[in-house]
Amino acid sequence: MRYTGLIDNYKDRLPVDDSTKLISLGEGNTPLIRLENIPALLGKNMDIYIKYEGLNPTGSFKDRGMTMAVTKAVEAGSKAIICASTGNTSASAAAYAARAGIKAFVLIPEGKIALGKLAQAMIHGAVIIQIKGNFDDGMRLVKEVADHAPVSIVNSINPYRLQGQKTAAFEIIEELGDAPDYHCLPVGNAGNISAHWMGYTEYFDDKIAAKKPKMVGYQAAGAAPFVKGEMIDNPETIATAIRIGHPQSWDLAHKVEAESNGWFDALTDDEILAAQKLLTEQEGIFCEPASAASLAGAMRDINSGKIPEGSTIVCTLTGHGLKDPDTAITQCKNEMININPVMNEVRDAILNNM
Ligand code: F0G
């Protein structure tokens, strides 16, 4: 059977009916990859799974929410969508708007979005509005302007976004046969951690899962309002996707923390980049820096015993590594070998580097 996207797959659990025209690019159904080498390095007997959301059509988990948000915007007769974004939402909005034949306006913080994401928003034909400010400024402006212009907001304050994103939890339960013990995610606006909890709770209430996971949200140390316990005004981190100081889903995420007995914690940029590199080198999986916060945090909490041995853990990798080529190249110390086009020099390059 041809896979036709997550709305079609879960239409009984999403706010659509038979007459709804679905705007889909075949999103969802992403791989759940069991780590083989990192648990051994940690010296722990652990089932750690990676939910590789970077393999969605535009390279991030945003597509799960965007297919729902754009489907509903079109159903309501909207001709234009708008979002503020650290990059991935704008890429996804641009692609789904193109698919739907409507306009996308995206507000991005000047100079602070990764190159791949900018390329996506541009090539799909979004109207790109760069602001001399950060994501939080963009979010405030989007909310204000929506009252003055005919545009539908597709940030995660749009409830359809979370509905679409909850399906990641469904897929995990279906593959593992139950919920994991811990689910670790990078947190920015906190929409995704809230959406996952909705999905886990829904399957638990319907007795499809026998348990619910502890939800663990990891932030970048320079952009960690949940760890600090208050909003922050000048967030900074190399993980630009989660460079957010005023999360929109503040209350929802605190509810998730309390209901799931989970926690929030913060990682330095160095810890985040080290986890990104470890994952690429040890497991062959390339994610963007923000995504690696989930694994970086999980590894720290496994090492300290906060996440006990024998646990089943899922770490969401929210975006593909190709989103941010600059950061990847900058942190690679292995220099290239330059040679003349002759066999001897190739052979020497091999033998000297075995
Ligand atoms: N990881 C990546 C790669 C992201 O792009 C984002 C958010 C998050 C994690 C955090 O998810 O906000 O639901 O807690 N990116 C948004 C954007 C803000 O504009 O692309 P969250």
Side-chain angles (χ1 to χ4, degrees), residues 16-281:
V16 291
D17 57 42
D18 289 342
S19 65
T20 310
K21 181 181 184 308
L22 306 186
I23 311 297
S24 170
L25 294 167
E27 56 294 308
N29 198 21
T30 54
L32 190 65
I33 304 168
R34 188 170 180 277
L35 294 188
E36 305 223 315
N37 302 319
I38 290 177
L41 280 181
L42 297 174
K44 303 277 184 181
N45 175 22
M46 291 276 186
D47 275 330
I48 309 176
Y49 295 90
I50 290 299
K51 183 68 168 161
Y52 197 9
E53 292 287 276
L55 291 194
N56 275 295
T58 76
S60 85
F61 73 95
K62 304 288 177 178
D63 296 341
R64 288 185 187 273
M66 204 55 71
T67 184
M68 267 310 308
V70 175
T71 290
K72 295 305 279 187
V74 169
E75 187 175 62
S78 184
K79 297 276 183 288
I81 56 175
I82 191 166
C83 65
S85 182
T86 56
N88 281 322
T89 303
S90 66
S92 186
Y96 282 82
R99 179 79 163 172
I102 62 173
K103 209 141 193 145
F105 295 91
V106 304
L107 272 71
I108 56 171
E110 192 178 79
K112 291 290 186 182
I113 88 167
L115 199 63
K117 305 173 189 182
L118 185 61
Q120 289 177 290
M122 292 174 86
I123 196 86
H124 287 301
V127 177
I128 299 171
I129 305 167
Q130 286 210 82
I131 54 172
K132 294 185 200 333
N134 59 25
F135 170 85
D136 302 310
D137 296 313
M139 199 61 241
R140 173 178 51 78
L141 291 166
V142 161
K143 288 199 271 189
E144 280 172 25
V145 84
D147 293 332
H148 302 279
V151 286
S152 303
I153 299 178
V154 294
N155 282 105
S156 58
I157 55 171
N158 176 330
Y160 297 123
R161 278 276 311 273
L162 301 198
Q163 284 292 317
Q165 287 169 217
K166 75 181 179 184
T167 59
F170 296 167
E171 292 174 12
I172 291 164
I173 290 169
E174 285 160 21
E175 279 202 51
L176 295 180
D178 203 345
D181 300 312
Y182 295 84
H183 189 131
C184 305
L185 298 113
V187 167
N189 249 333
N192 208 27
I193 195 168
S194 306
H196 276 76
W197 185 242
M198 281 169 54
Y200 281 124
T201 303
E202 191 172 322
Y203 263 25
F204 178 80
D205 289 347
D206 289 348
K207 303 200 163 40
I208 299 169
K211 61 183 175 189
K212 292 186 272 186
K214 289 186 168 51
M215 302 297 295
V216 188
Y218 295 109
Q219 302 208 278
F226 285 107
V227 180
K228 218 169 163 224
E230 61 186 19
M231 305 284 184
I232 60 169
D233 285 337
N234 293 301
E236 249 345 311
T237 169
I238 193 153
T240 51
I242 51 173
R243 186 172 165 270
I244 295 172
H246 289 245
Q248 297 297 310
S249 293
W250 181 255
D251 294 338
L252 268 183
H254 278 111
K255 213 167 128 242
V256 173
E257 180 190 24
E259 287 180 4
S260 78
N261 285 314
W263 63 87
F264 293 108
D265 209 341
L267 287 303
T268 65
D269 282 1
D270 284 348
E271 287 175 302
I272 289 172
L273 292 179
Q276 182 196 26
K277 195 102 196 298
L278 189 73
L279 197 55
T280 54
E281 291 182 346

